Structure formats: C-alpha cells, structure tokens
Amino acid sequence: MNGLKKEAEHNMLTIKLNEHIIQCHVVYGKGKKVSITMDLPYMVTIKTPNGTSNEMIQQLVEQHGEIILKKSALMQQALEGPQAKDYEEEGSGKFLFLGKEYALHELIKVEGLSEDELRANLKKFYFAECKRVIGERIGPYQQELKVKPKSIDIVESPTKWGSCSWDKKLTFNYRLAMAPPEVIDYVIIHELCHIHHMNHDRSFWRRVGSIMPDYKTKEDYLMRNGRAMTL
C-alpha cells in the first residue's frame, strides 16, 4: 500500500515544445491550485491536485510554453559560464558598473600593471563599491520591512547573488556592483524578506511583491546578464 501511494504522488512526464524536450516532475497533492517552477533548463516541477490527467498537464505546459522556453534559454546561458574579459590597455573590453559599461581605465588606474594586478584591483573596487552601495540603500527597506539583520557582508560566490542565514546574517555577492541600482534593491529586498520567511513560499513572494511589484523583471535581468557580470 505504501508503495502504491508513493507512486501515485509523483510522476515524470516528457513533453515536446517546438524542438525542445521538457522534463516534467509532477507532484500530486490535496491542494486545489496548480504551480510550475523551473528547476534547470528545460526541467520543471509541477504541483497539481490529485487526479489531474496527463493530458491536462500537457495542456498546462503548452499554455506556458513561451515562458518555459524563454526562462530555460536564459538559465542555459547563465550555466555556460562567464565571458572572458579583455584587460589589454588598448583592448575593447567593457566592464559593467551599476548597470552601465565602462572602459577599465574609467574604473581603476591601469598604468604599469599586469593583467593579474588589474584583475585584483578591479575586484577590490567592486567589493568596496558593493559595500558602499548596499550600505546606502538597505536602510529604508529595513525600516519598511521592520527587520534588522545581525550582520551584512560582501562575499564572492559563483552561484548566489545574496543569502540570509538562520541567524539573520546577510551576504551579498560583490558582483552586484555591476548591476543597476534597482536590481541591487531587489536582491536587498529578497534577502531582508528571508529574515521572516526562510523558504520561497507564497508568503515570501507576496512580501517581496508588496515592496517591489515588478521584482520578476529584476530576476530576468540577473538571468540575462549574469555571464557579463564577471571579471
């Protein structure tokens, strides 16, 4: 009986959208609402009421096909790794700072420095600017959300833009200094909301949306531009 019940609660479906194959992990439950979340490129989790037919699930995926394919492409691009930067003094390389592109010499001194020295100094620049910008912008959101983090640190992370620990310690990726101020604000709000809502449940997203209704556009920016936001 237990084995039959477990099998009935989960299902794996393969659905074709255009030329792409979508792997669907279907989770059945007692709730009445249906939700789709992206796990990896072209892989989704679908939570749906008990008894939902495969045909209805396929229709649901097809209805959201454009969004699934768009987000999958963005996720795939982000997973391909960072773009190489040009540190040559006369090179055409551009570096993002607060959402705008700058030549290297517009951000740091470049005379007489090797590529390794330039990269190290540029990283120091971004660390300092990230700390400054977040320090200037986080206060009003703390007041609005009525939360106070125990500490705020700037770190280097290959996968996360920010994090909130169980004891209210916030960290932010130094590469956020490359993003526009409103995108930085989104990550600040996101992590502050985690102080009261540690999971990404509905109450968490409602709280984020109450402060920044268009937060999804900020998420899309990070997905589209993550590869360019690198040293």
Side-chain angles (χ1 to χ4, degrees), residues 16-112:
K16 188 172 183 179
L17 288 178
N18 298 338
E19 73 276 15
H20 297 286
I21 299 299
I22 309 301
Q23 301 292 337
C24 305
H25 175 211
V26 185
V27 182
Y28 302 94
K30 297 180 180 179
K32 296 182 180 180
K33 294 185 178 181
V34 178
S35 67
I36 302 178
T37 56
M38 298 292 303
D39 299 324
L40 289 169
Y42 310 105
M43 294 183 65
V44 299
T45 293
I46 301 172
K47 294 183 179 179
T48 189
N50 291 325
T52 304
S53 66
N54 290 350
E55 290 76 14
M56 291 181 64
I57 292 171
Q58 178 160 345
Q59 291 177 8
L60 179 69
V61 171
E62 291 174 349
Q63 288 172 4
H64 294 82
E66 184 176 349
I67 295 175
I68 291 172
L69 293 178
K70 177 183 176 182
K71 288 193 173 183
S72 292
L74 292 173
M75 291 176 75
Q76 185 67 52
Q77 185 182 62
L79 290 171
E80 288 174 355
Q83 296 172 325
K85 293 293 185 178
D86 184 358
Y87 283 84
E88 294 294 331
E89 187 173 348
E90 297 180 358
S92 59
K94 294 292 184 179
F95 296 82
L96 286 169
F97 176 55
L98 297 182
K100 298 180 181 179
E101 289 188 329
Y102 294 87
L104 185 59
H105 68 83
E106 295 178 290
L107 301 177
I108 62 172
K109 294 181 179 180
V110 299
E111 293 81 5

Side-chain angles (χ1 to χ4, degrees), residues 132-144 147 149 151-152 170 172 185 188-189 191-192:
R132 178 187 65 81
V133 172
I134 288 177
E136 291 176 352
R137 304 182 76 86
I138 197 170
Y141 295 118
Q142 288 182 206
Q143 295 178 8
E144 190 168 0
V147 295
S151 64
I152 300 171
L170 303 188
F172 296 95
D185 286 352
I188 290 172
I189 293 167
E191 301 311 329
L192 287 175

